[in-house]
C-alpha cells in the first residue's frame, strides 16, 4: 500500500488540489446564480478548508521536492528567490483581502498555489467540463422552476443573477474550450468556428449583450488567423511580420487598454464631446466609472466599498433608489476597489504569462489573453475565477510544442461530436419541453423548489448531465482512438454503467410522478370540473406549471410548458394553471387553496364568468397567499393581508449579497384577529444565512397591539458576514394575526448605528 502511494502520490496530490480548485470554482459559480439563497454556510467553510488544505499540502510537497532535486547551491538560491518573490507578489492580495474583507483576493493566490506546476491542458479541460455542466444544469433547474428566472427589460438571466453574466459564461467557455483543443485538426477548427457563430447568435438573441458580439467577433478572427497561418504559410515574410505584431499586441493589451480607459475617463470628466459619445456607445461605461472614482479615488491598496450593486435582473426598489452602482469596467474595478498595487501585479503577471505562452509556442493562449483583455473594457469579470480561469494559470506548466508539427493537417471531425450536437439542437425543440415537464413535476413533488432543498435539484441535474457527458466522451474516444482490447472494454463498460444510471433515474422520476397522481388525488378531483370547462372553452393554448406532468397524464390537453418563472413563465396568449402564490399576467381566478388560473384568453374569461366565477384583473389587484414563496422588499408589499393562525410560522425570502454590509431596519405591521386580554401573541425573527441561524428575535404580547388591535414593530440589525437574511413570524399565543406588511431598508453603512 505504501509503495503504491509513493508511485502515485504526485497524481493523487494533483487530483486533490485540482479538485479543491474546481470545488472553489463551483462555489463561486453558485454565488453568481440564484442558488446563492440556498447553499449553507457549512458548505462555504468546507470549500475554503479544502482549498487551503489540499493546495497547501501539494504546494509544500512540490517546493520540498524541487529543493532537494537542486544539487547546485546557486540553483537552490535562485529557486528560493523565485519562491520568495512569488510570496511577495501574493502578500498584497492577502493584505487587501483581509483589511477590506475581499475574500476573492485572499483565495486567488491560493488557487495559483494549488495549480503550481500543473499541466495547463488538464486545468483548461477540467474547467470547461465543470463550469459547462454547472451552467447547463442551472439553466435547466431555472426553466424547471427551482429558482427564479430574473429578468430585466424582458431579458432573462436563466438562473444567473444578471443576463450579461450568462452571456459571459458562454463566451469564456468557448475561449477556454478553444485553448484546450488539439492544434492539428483543421476541419475541427472550421467546425468550431461554426459552433462559435451559432452559440454567439443564440446567446445574443437571449441576452442582447454587445460585449458578447465584439468579443465573439475577435474569437472568430483569431480562429481564422490560426487557420490561415498554418505551417504552409510560415515561410511568408509578410505573414511572419503580422504574426509578430499580433503577438506583441497580445502581450501588452492589458496595460494598453487600462491606459485607454484612464484617458477616456479623464476626457469624459472634462465633458469632451467625443468622449461623451463614446460613453453612450459603450452603454454608459465611462459614467459608471466616474461616480466611484470621484467618491473613492485610486489608492495603493484600494477602497473599502461595501455597496457595489447592479440591477442584477431584479426590480428591488432598495437597489433602484440608490441607482446603478456597479463598476462595469475591469480595469477601473481593479484600480478603484483593489488599488494600483494589485492592478500593477495583475498587469505584470498578465504580460509574463502571455510572453511565457508565446515562448512555448502556445499562440492560442496568447490570443485568448488578448480577447479577455478586450472583454475587460466593458465587463468586470477578470478577477472572478469562475469566469476567467486564465488568471490563476501563470505558474502552471506550459509545455513547449514541437515546431515541426504539421499544423492544421486534414482530419475528420468525430462523427459522435456531429451527431451529439445535432441531437442537442433537435432536443431543444422536441425533447427539452418534455424533460422540463418531468423535472418540474419531480422537483415540486420532492419539495426541491426552495430553501436548502433547492440544491438537491441542482445536484440531481448535474448528475444527469455528467452522465451524458461521460457517455459522449467514452463513445467519442472509442471511435476516434486506437483502443486495445482492455481499453476498449473499459470504455464500453463505462458507457453501460452511465446508461444504466440514467435509466434508473428516469424510472425513479416516472414512478414518483405516478405516485404523485395518487397523493394529489383529492386535489385533482376537486379541480377536474373547472379544468374540463377551461379545455372546452379555450381558444388559445392551456398550460400547467408546477404539476404539469400530473395534469398532462390525468387530463391530457395541456401544452408542455418550458418556462416556469418570472415573465418567461407565462404565455403571452393562453391559460395557465399554477400555484396560487404565483403572480402572472391576465385575469386571475382562485380554483382551490393550492391552485389558481391566470388567463389572457377572453373565451375562458367570458365562459367561466357566465358560470358564476368571479375574476380579478391582475393589473388592478395582486393576490398573495404564501409569503414564504414571495420576496417582500422595501416598498413592495402584498396588496391583500395574510392571516397566520395559532401554531403557524411563515418566512419571507430576501435577496441580498455579500456587498450589503451595515445596519438595517425591518418594520412589521400586524393586526390582531382575535381579542386576547394578556399573554404572548407571536415571535418575530431575523434569520441569517438563509435561515441557518438567528440574528434577532422579539416577542410580541397583547399589550403591543393596544386597544386598536394594530401593532407596528421595528427591529434593527447588523449585517456583517450574513448576507442572506430571512424574516420569520411565529404565532405562539391562542390568537390569529393578520400580516399587513413587512418592510426593510438599509439605514447605515458604518459599524455604528446613527
Amino acid at each position: 500500500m505504501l509503495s503504491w502511494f509513493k508511485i502515485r502520490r504526485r497524481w493523487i496530490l494533483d487530483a486533490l488540489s485540482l479538485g479543491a480548485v474546481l470545488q472553489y470554482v463551483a462555489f463561486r459559480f453558485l454565488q453568481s446564480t440564484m442558488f446563492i439563497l440556498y447553499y449553507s454556510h457549512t458548505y462555504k467553510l468546507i470549500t475554503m478548508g479544502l482549498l487551503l488544505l489540499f493546495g497547501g499540502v501539494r504546494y509544500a510537497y512540490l517546493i520540498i521536492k524541487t529543493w532537494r532535486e537542486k544539487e547546485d547551491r546557486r540553483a537552490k538560491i535562485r529557486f528560493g528567490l523565485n519562491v520568495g518573490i512569488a510570496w511577495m507578489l501574493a502578500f498584497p492580495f492577502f493584505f487587501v483581502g483581509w483589511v477590506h474583507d475581499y475574500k476573492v483576493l485572499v483565495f486567488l493566490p491560493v488557487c495559483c498555489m494549488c495549480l503550481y506546476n500543473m499541466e495547463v491542458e488538464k486545468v483548461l479541460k477540467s474547467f470547461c467540463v465543470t463550469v459547462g455542466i454547472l451552467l447547463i444544469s442551472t439553466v435547466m433547474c431555472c426553466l424547471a422552476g427551482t429558482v427564479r428566472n430574473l429578468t430585466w427589460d424582458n431579458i432573462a438571466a436563466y438562473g444567473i443573477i444578471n443576463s450579461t453574466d450568462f452571456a459571459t459564461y458562454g463566451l469564456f467557455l468557448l475561449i477556454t474550450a478553444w485553448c484546450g483543443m488539439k492544434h492539428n485538426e483543421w476541419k475541427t477548427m472550421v467546425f468550431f468556428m461554426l459552433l462559435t457563430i451559432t452559440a454567439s447568435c443564440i446567446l445574443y438573441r437571449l441576452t442582447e449583450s454587445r460585449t458578447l458580439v465584439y468579443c465573439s467577433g475577435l474569437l472568430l478572427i483569431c480562429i481564422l488567423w490560426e487557420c490561415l497561418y498554418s505551417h504552409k504559410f510560415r515561410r511568408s515574410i509578410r505573414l511572419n511580420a503580422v504574426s509578430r505584431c499580433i503577438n506583441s499586441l497580445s502581450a501588452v493589451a492589458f496595460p494598453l487598454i487600462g491606459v485607454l480607459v484612464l484617458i477616456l475617463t479623464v476626457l469624459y470628466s472634462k465633458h469632451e464631446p467625443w468622449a461623451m459619445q463614446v460613453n453612450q456607445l459603450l452603454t454608459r461605461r465611462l459614467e459608471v466609472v466616474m461616480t466611484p472614482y470621484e467618491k473613492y479615488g485610486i489608492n495603493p491598496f484600494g477602497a473599502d466599498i461595501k455597496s457595489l450593486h447592479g440591477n442584477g435582473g431584479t426590480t428591488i426598489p432598495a437597489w433602484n433608489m440608490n441607482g446603478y452602482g456597479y463598476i462595469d469596467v475591469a480595469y477601473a474595478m481593479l484600480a478603484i476597489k483593489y488599488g494600483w498595487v494589485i492592478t500593477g501585479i495583475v498587469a505584470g503577471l498578465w504580460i509574463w504569462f502571455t510572453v511565457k505562452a508565446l515562448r512555448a509556442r502556445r499562440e492560442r493562449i496568447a490570443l485568448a489573453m488578448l480577447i479577455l483583455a478586450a472583454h475587460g473594457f466593458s465587463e468586470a469579470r477578470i478577477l472572478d475565477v469562475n469566469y476567467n480561469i486564465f488568471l490563476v494559470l501563470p505558474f502552471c506548466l506550459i509545455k513547449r510544442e514541437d515546431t515541426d508539427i504539421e499544423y492544421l493537417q486534414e482530419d475528420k471531425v468525430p462523427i459522435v461530436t456531429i451527431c451529439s450536437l445535432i441531437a442537442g439542437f433537435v432536443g431543444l425543440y422536441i425533447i427539452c419541453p418534455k424533460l422540463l415537464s418531468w423535472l418540474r413535476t419531480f422537483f415540486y413533488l420532492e419539495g426541491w423548489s426552495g430553501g436548502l432543498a433547492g440544491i438537491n435539484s441542482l445536484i440531481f441535474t448535474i448528475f444527469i448531465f455528467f452522465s451524458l457527458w461521460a457517455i459522449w466522451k467514452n463513445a467519442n474516444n472509442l471511435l476516434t482512438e486506437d483502443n486495445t482490447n482492455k481499453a476498449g472494454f473499459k470504455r464500453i463498460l463505462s458507457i453501460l454503467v452511465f446508461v444504466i444510471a440514467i435509466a434508473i433515474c428516469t424510472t425513479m422520476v416516472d414512478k414518483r410522478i405516478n405516485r404523485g397522481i395518487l397523493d394529489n388525488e383529492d386535489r385533482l378531483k376537486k379541480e377536474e370540473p373547472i379544468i374540463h370547462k377551461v379545455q372546452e372553452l379555450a381558444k388559445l393554448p392551456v398550460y400547467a406549471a408546477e404539476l404539469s406532468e400530473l395534469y398532462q397524464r390525468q387530463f391530457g390537453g395541456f401544452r408542455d410548458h418550458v418556462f416556469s418563472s418570472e415573465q418567461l413563465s407565462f404565455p403571452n396568449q393562453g391559460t395557465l394553471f399554477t400555484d396560487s402564490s404565483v403572480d402572472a399576467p391576465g385575469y386571475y381566478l382562485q380554483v382551490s387553496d393550492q391552485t389558481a388560473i391566470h388567463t389572457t384568453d377572453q373565451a375562458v374569461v367570458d365562459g367561466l364568468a357566465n358560470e358564476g366565477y368571479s375574476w380579478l384583473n391582475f393589473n388592478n389587484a395582486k393576490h398573495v397567499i404564501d409569503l414564504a414563496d414571495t420576496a417582500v422588499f422595501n416598498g413592495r408589499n402584498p396588496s391583500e393581508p395574510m392571516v397566520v393562525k395559532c401554531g403557524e410560522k411563515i418566512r419571507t425570502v430576501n435577496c441580498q449579497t455579500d456587498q450589503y454590509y451595515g445596519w438595517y431596519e425591518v418594520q412589521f405591521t400586524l393586526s390582531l384577529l382575535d381579542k386576547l386580554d394578556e399573554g404572548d401573541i407571536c415571535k418575530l425573527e431575523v434569520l441569517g444565512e438563509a435561515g441557518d441561524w438567528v440574528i434577532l428575535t422579539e416577542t410580541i404580547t397583547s399589550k403591543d397591539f393596544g386597544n386598536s388591535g394594530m401593532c407596528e414593530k421595528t427591529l434593527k440589525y447588523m449585517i456583517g458576514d450574513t448576507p442572506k437574511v430571512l424574516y420569520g413570524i411565529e404565532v405562539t399565543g391562542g390568537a390569529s394575526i393578520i400580516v399587513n406588511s413587512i418592510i426593510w431598508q438599509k439605514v447605515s453603512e458604518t459599524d455604528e448605528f446613527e
Side-chain angles (χ1 to χ4, degrees):
M1 182 68 181
L2 185 61
S3 60
W4 178 87
F5 176 77
K6 287 182 179 180
I7 295 173
R8 293 172 174 81
R9 59 187 172 187
R10 176 63 185 272
W11 181 88
I12 293 172
L13 290 174
D14 282 359
L16 291 176
S17 59
L18 180 57
V21 172
L22 294 178
Q23 172 60 38
Y24 179 70
V25 168
F27 167 72
R28 292 284 296 160
F29 178 89
L30 288 178
Q31 287 188 317
S32 70
T33 70
M34 291 304 295
F35 284 104
I36 188 177
L37 299 174
Y38 302 144
Y39 66 75
S40 66
H41 188 62
T42 304
Y43 167 71
K44 178 179 180 180
L45 294 177
I46 291 175
T47 298
M48 306 304 181
L50 289 176
L51 193 65
L52 292 172
L53 175 62
F54 294 137
V57 170
R58 180 181 176 277
Y59 184 73
Y61 166 77
L62 290 177
I63 293 297
I64 295 172
K65 183 174 180 294
T66 306
W67 177 270
R68 289 179 175 178
E69 289 175 351
K70 301 288 185 182
E71 297 180 356
D72 186 11
R73 184 178 179 182
R74 292 183 179 180
K76 288 188 176 183
I77 294 175
R78 284 196 299 269
F79 176 71
L81 288 174
N82 291 334
V83 174
I85 292 172
W87 277 97
M88 288 178 61
L89 294 176
F91 177 76
F93 288 84
F94 295 136
F95 176 76
V96 176
W98 179 266
V99 171
H100 297 323
D101 196 26
Y102 297 151
K103 297 181 181 64
V104 62
L105 289 185
V106 175
F107 287 97
L108 282 177
V110 177
C111 288
C112 291
M113 177 177 65
C114 288
L115 302 179
Y116 174 75
N117 212 29
M118 189 177 293
E119 293 181 2
V120 71
E121 291 87 354
K122 184 188 297 183
V123 180
L124 292 176
K125 291 178 181 179
S126 301
F127 176 84
C128 273
V129 172
T130 301
V131 177
I133 292 177
L134 280 172
L135 183 61
I136 296 173
S137 300
T138 300
V139 172
M140 294 295 290
C141 286
C142 170
L143 298 182
T146 301
V147 294
R148 295 176 64 197
N149 189 0
L150 297 180
T151 58
W152 183 65
D153 287 347
N154 295 323
I155 301 174
Y158 298 95
I160 311 299
I161 291 179
N162 200 301
S163 57
T164 56
D165 292 342
F166 175 65
T168 301
Y169 270 123
L171 175 66
F172 278 48
L173 277 175
L174 287 172
I175 294 173
T176 309
W178 176 54
C179 291
M181 293 175 64
K182 294 181 180 179
H183 284 244
N184 59 341
E185 300 173 356
W186 74 269
K187 288 187 177 180
T188 305
M189 289 295 100
V190 174
F191 181 75
F192 189 77
M193 287 181 65
L194 297 176
L195 178 63
T196 302
I197 294 172
T198 304
S200 301
C201 290
I202 293 174
L203 287 172
Y204 179 74
R205 174 69 178 83
L206 297 176
T207 63
E208 297 184 9
S209 171
R210 296 183 187 178
T211 307
L212 171 74
V213 173
Y214 71 73
C215 286
S216 297
L218 277 176
L219 177 59
L220 288 171
I221 292 173
C222 291
I223 298 173
L224 183 61
W225 165 252
E226 184 188 24
C227 291
L228 292 175
Y229 189 64
S230 62
H231 181 70
K232 297 178 181 178
F233 295 99
R234 291 199 169 199
R235 297 178 182 177
S236 172
I237 298 177
R238 292 183 179 180
L239 283 181
N240 284 330
V242 173
S243 177
R244 286 193 295 270
C245 290
I246 294 175
N247 293 341
S248 301
L249 179 62
S250 63
V252 299
F254 189 90
L256 279 181
I257 298 177
V259 172
L260 178 61
V261 170
L262 177 62
I263 294 173
L264 289 175
T265 304
V266 172
L267 293 175
Y268 177 79
S269 65
K270 296 180 179 180
H271 303 287
E272 291 287 342
W274 69 274
M276 306 290 284
Q277 293 178 0
V278 170
N279 178 61
Q280 294 299 323
L281 180 64
L282 297 175
T283 323
R284 299 174 50 245
R285 288 297 193 265
L286 300 179
E287 182 179 338
V288 300
V289 170
M290 275 301 302
T291 302
Y293 173 72
E294 292 174 349
K295 184 176 181 179
Y296 300 102
I298 299 178
N299 304 304
F301 297 104
D304 190 9
I305 305 176
K306 297 295 185 181
S307 59
L308 280 178
H309 54 86
N311 285 338
T314 68
T315 55
I316 301 175
W319 289 2
N320 293 339
M321 286 189 300
N322 295 329
Y324 190 85
Y326 197 78
I327 308 175
D328 278 322
V329 179
Y331 305 94
M333 175 74 82
L334 274 169
I336 297 172
K337 186 175 181 180
Y338 303 122
W340 58 262
V341 173
I342 298 292
T343 306
I345 294 174
V346 172
L349 289 175
W350 195 285
I351 295 172
W352 178 70
F353 180 59
T354 306
V355 173
K356 181 181 177 182
L358 289 171
R359 288 178 177 175
R361 315 242 10 124
R362 299 300 300 269
E363 288 85 358
R364 278 190 193 174
I365 292 180
L367 293 174
M369 302 299 283
L370 173 63
I371 299 171
L372 295 176
H375 185 272
F377 193 89
S378 57
E379 292 291 343
R381 297 303 173 193
I382 281 180
L383 286 187
D384 293 324
V385 68
N386 49 306
Y387 292 92
N388 179 20
I389 191 64
F390 293 91
L391 184 69
V392 294
L393 297 182
F395 300 101
C396 282
L397 182 63
I398 301 181
K399 293 182 179 180
R400 182 177 297 276
E401 296 181 0
D402 187 357
T403 56
D404 294 329
I405 289 179
E406 183 70 22
Y407 283 84
L408 310 177
Q409 67 184 17
E410 290 195 16
D411 198 355
K412 293 183 179 180
V413 180
I415 188 67
V416 176
T417 303
I418 298 176
C419 293
S420 60
L421 287 172
I422 293 174
F425 284 113
V426 172
L428 288 175
Y429 296 96
I430 299 177
I431 303 172
C432 194
K434 179 57 68 176
L435 175 61
L436 287 170
S437 179
W438 278 42
L439 290 177
R440 183 181 307 111
T441 306
F442 178 69
F443 294 159
Y444 186 86
L445 293 174
E446 293 294 328
W448 292 354
S449 298
L452 291 177
I455 294 292
N456 294 338
S457 64
L458 182 63
I459 295 173
F460 184 82
T461 313
I462 288 172
F463 173 76
I464 292 175
F465 281 101
F466 173 76
S467 300
L468 292 173
W469 173 81
I471 293 172
W472 173 79
K473 186 71 175 177
N474 283 286
N476 198 32
N477 291 337
L478 201 62
L479 293 179
T480 57
E481 295 183 4
D482 294 331
N483 294 282
T484 61
N485 292 334
K486 188 175 181 180
F489 175 76
K490 286 183 177 179
R491 291 197 170 102
I492 292 174
L493 183 62
S494 299
I495 293 173
L496 289 176
V497 169
F498 285 109
V499 167
I500 292 172
I502 290 180
I504 291 173
C505 288
T506 305
T507 305
M508 179 182 69
V509 171
D510 186 64
K511 287 185 176 180
R512 182 65 183 93
I513 292 174
N514 290 332
R515 191 169 74 250
I517 295 177
L518 298 177
D519 295 340
N520 291 270
E521 186 176 4
D522 294 339
R523 174 181 175 180
L524 294 174
K525 283 185 177 180
K526 186 184 296 184
E527 297 171 6
E528 183 175 4
I530 196 167
I531 289 174
H532 288 317
K533 287 181 182 179
V534 169
Q535 290 175 336
E536 292 173 3
L537 296 168
K539 302 296 183 183
L540 299 174
V542 181
Y543 301 88
E546 286 81 5
L547 298 176
S548 54
E549 195 62 24
L550 265 60
Y551 280 72
Q552 182 68 27
R553 295 186 184 190
Q554 187 73 4
F555 307 111
F558 283 87
R559 292 283 186 92
D560 287 325
H561 190 55
V562 176
F563 304 112
S564 66
S565 57
E566 290 295 328
Q567 294 163 345
L568 289 179
S569 306
F570 317 110
N572 294 325
Q573 300 293 328
T575 303
L576 175 68
F577 284 81
T578 185
D579 188 88
S580 54
S581 65
V582 174
D583 301 330
Y587 288 91
Y588 167 85
L589 175 63
Q590 183 77 27
V591 177
S592 64
D593 293 340
Q594 300 99 341
T595 309
I597 301 176
H598 295 270
T599 186
T600 57
D601 192 337
Q602 196 62 42
V604 173
V605 175
D606 295 340
L608 292 182
N610 294 334
E611 295 285 339
Y613 292 94
S614 299
W615 290 91
L616 290 175
N617 191 326
F618 174 79
N619 297 322
N620 298 327
K622 181 179 178 182
H623 191 80
V624 177
I625 295 296
D626 187 3
L627 283 177
D629 295 326
T630 306
V632 183
F633 302 109
N634 180 32
R636 176 185 173 190
N637 306 315
S639 61
E640 295 187 8
M642 176 183 177
V643 177
V644 184
K645 299 179 181 179
C646 177
E648 291 184 344
K649 184 175 182 178
I650 65 168
R651 286 185 177 183
T652 65
V653 177
N654 214 327
C655 184
Q656 300 178 17
T657 69
D658 293 310
Q659 299 166 350
Y660 284 84
Y661 171 90
W663 280 94
Y664 286 74
E665 287 183 346
V666 55
Q667 183 184 67
F668 297 85
T669 304
L670 312 173
S671 300
L672 194 59
L673 194 61
D674 303 320
K675 182 64 176 178
L676 287 180
D677 294 332
E678 60 182 10
D680 297 343
I681 300 296
C682 63
K683 182 172 67 174
L684 308 180
E685 296 178 324
V686 179
L687 308 171
E689 292 299 334
D692 281 0
W693 62 283
V694 178
I695 297 177
L696 182 65
T697 62
E698 185 153 342
T699 301
I700 304 298
T701 65
S702 58
K703 294 180 180 180
D704 294 313
F705 286 90
N707 296 327
S708 64
M710 293 284 295
C711 173
E712 289 188 0
K713 194 67 177 179
T714 301
L715 304 182
K716 300 173 183 178
Y717 61 96
M718 174 75 179
I719 291 183
D721 295 325
T722 58
K724 298 176 285 298
V725 176
L726 310 181
Y727 305 122
I729 302 176
E730 182 179 5
V731 179
T732 56
S736 299
I737 64 170
I738 299 175
V739 183
N740 296 299
S741 67
I742 302 175
I743 302 174
W744 66 266
Q745 62 178 345
K746 187 173 186 177
V747 293
S748 176
E749 294 185 1
T750 62
D751 291 337
E752 297 182 0
F753 180 73
E754 299 175 359

